[in-house]
């Protein structure tokens, strides 16, 4: 069969109900992401590139490869990359960063903290941890006795590769204040590229690593003073949210701060947290 014929067959192919249920269950078990029947068309669109990459003509062939030919061992990372949603912006939900700068950081320093450990636990393409880095860099600039570290993790290897490069479209950095743009963002020499890059110094302050929030343990080293877990809980059901938040709290130091997305809630989940601002919580 010619490549053109394969492409035509692929576009007209559909995921069977049986295979959709298998895929949805695997995706949920591995990543905690719910894949209801309303996401069938979306899943088909996203997986067609995996069919091409693995040279399978139909979804049935691809699913046989995954579930009967031990293809999951080599394909899981790519499959999960294909189905994860990775929307991100610099200074997204800006009040969190205002609270971080004006309340959380001064409180931590007043309590005796001198190296501020922070974690962006679903960092996507890097806008969140680089925003955190800008705020922290400004905060410690005139304080020689202070330092900080930023860990940024995500499930998707694709977005982590983008984050490490630190190259973005000009549009994405529009929310960054002008004085911070001047300090921490470099504009491409060829103006027609309309790209910018985070400065090398700021990039060096963020450590990126792949991590699955469904894992039983989060190997992040010492406890954290601030954890951002924003706009990822909405993809989980309540039991999964509870498990993730409890494991995150286990890595958050007493007096440390947890930030979740403005559309998210921890209501009904028994956690060692008290609310200190809108979607900001402190470890008891």
């Amino acid at each position: 069969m010619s490549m053109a014929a394969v492409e035509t067959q692929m576009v007209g192919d559909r995921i069977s109900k049986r295979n959709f249920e298998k895929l949805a269950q695997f995706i949920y078990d591995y990543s905690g992401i719910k894949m209801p029947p309303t996401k069938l068309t979306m899943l088909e669109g996203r997986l067609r590139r995996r069919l091409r990459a693995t040279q399978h003509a139909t979804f049935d062939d691809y699913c046989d490869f995954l579930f009967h030919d031990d293809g999951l061992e080599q394909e899981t990372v790519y499959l999960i990359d294909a189905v994860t949603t990775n929307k991100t912006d610099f200074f997204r939900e800006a009040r969190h960063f205002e609270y971080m700068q004006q309340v959380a950081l001064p409180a931590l320093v007043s309590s005796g903290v001198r190296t501020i450990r922070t974690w962006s636990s679903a960092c996507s393409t890097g806008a969140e941890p680089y925003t955190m880095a800008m705020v922290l860099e400004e905060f410690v600039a005139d304080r020689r006795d202070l330092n900080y570290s930023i860990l940024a993790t995500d499930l998707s290897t694709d977005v982590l590769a983008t984050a490490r490069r630190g190259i973005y479209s000009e549009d994405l950095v529009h929310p960054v204040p002008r004085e911070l743009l001047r300090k921490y963002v470099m504009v491409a020499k060829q103006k027609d590229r309309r790209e910018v890059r985070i400065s090398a110094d700021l990039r060096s302050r963020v450590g990126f690593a792949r991590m699955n929030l469904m894992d039983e343990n989060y190997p992040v080293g010492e406890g954290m003073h601030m954890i951002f877990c924003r706009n990822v809980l909405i993809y989980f059901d309540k039991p999964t949210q509870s498990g993730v938040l409890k494991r995150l709290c286990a890595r958050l130091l007493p007096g440390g701060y947890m930030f979740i997305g403005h559309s998210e809630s921890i209501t009904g989940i028994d956690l060692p947290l008290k609310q200190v601002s809108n979607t900001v919580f402190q470890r008891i």
Side-chain angles (χ1 to χ4, degrees), residues 25-64:
Q25 188 63 51
F26 174 76
I27 291 165
Y28 174 74
D29 290 342
Y30 186 86
S31 69
I33 298 171
K34 295 287 283 184
M35 195 67 56
T38 53
K39 297 287 184 71
L40 172 61
T41 301
M42 182 272 287
L43 184 61
E44 288 172 342
R46 294 194 177 184
L47 289 185
R48 282 198 172 97
R49 63 173 180 164
R50 293 311 309 158
L51 267 67
R52 287 191 287 269
T54 56
Q55 299 183 330
H56 290 98
T58 68
F59 286 115
D60 282 346
D61 292 342
Y62 180 69
C63 289
D64 284 343

Side-chain angles (χ1 to χ4, degrees), residues 109-126:
V109 171
S110 294
S111 71
V113 175
R114 289 296 174 264
T115 298
I116 303 157
R117 290 176 48 80
T118 63
W119 178 17
S120 171
S121 65
C123 70
S124 187
T125 53

Side-chain angles (χ1 to χ4, degrees), residues 254-267:
Y257 296 86
M258 175 86 71
F259 297 79
I260 65 173
H262 287 335
S263 62
E264 297 170 328
S265 170
I266 67 169
T267 302

Side-chain angles (χ1 to χ4, degrees), residues 243-281:
V244 168
L245 287 166
K246 287 176 179 179
R247 291 190 292 274
L248 289 172
C249 284
R251 309 307 301 158
L252 185 64
L253 292 167
Y257 296 86
M258 175 86 71
F259 297 79
I260 65 173
H262 287 335
S263 62
E264 297 170 328
S265 170
I266 67 169
T267 302
I269 303 174
D270 184 20
L271 298 169
L273 298 173
K274 64 177 181 179
Q275 185 164 358
V276 291
S277 186
N278 183 26
T279 59
V280 182
F281 304 84

Side-chain angles (χ1 to χ4, degrees), residues 126-150:
E128 179 176 272
Y130 287 135
T131 300
M132 294 164 66
M134 292 179 196
V135 173
L136 283 159
E137 194 68 21
E138 292 295 296
F139 185 77
V140 306
D142 298 322
R143 298 171 171 87
R144 291 176 178 267
D145 61 329
L146 298 183
N147 200 358
Y148 68 90
S149 66
I150 301 174

Side-chain angles (χ1 to χ4, degrees), residues 4 9 11 17-18 36 41 72 74 83 112 124 128 175 185 198 205 212 217 220 237 245 278-279 282 284:
Q9 180 179 350
V11 170
K17 183 176 184 293
R18 179 176 60 88
T41 301
L72 281 173
Q74 64 190 73
V83 301
S124 187
E128 179 176 272
V185 180
I198 303 302
R205 298 308 304 261
N212 187 349
N217 295 295
V220 298
D237 59 17
L245 287 166
N278 183 26
T279 59
Q282 192 171 26
I284 297 169

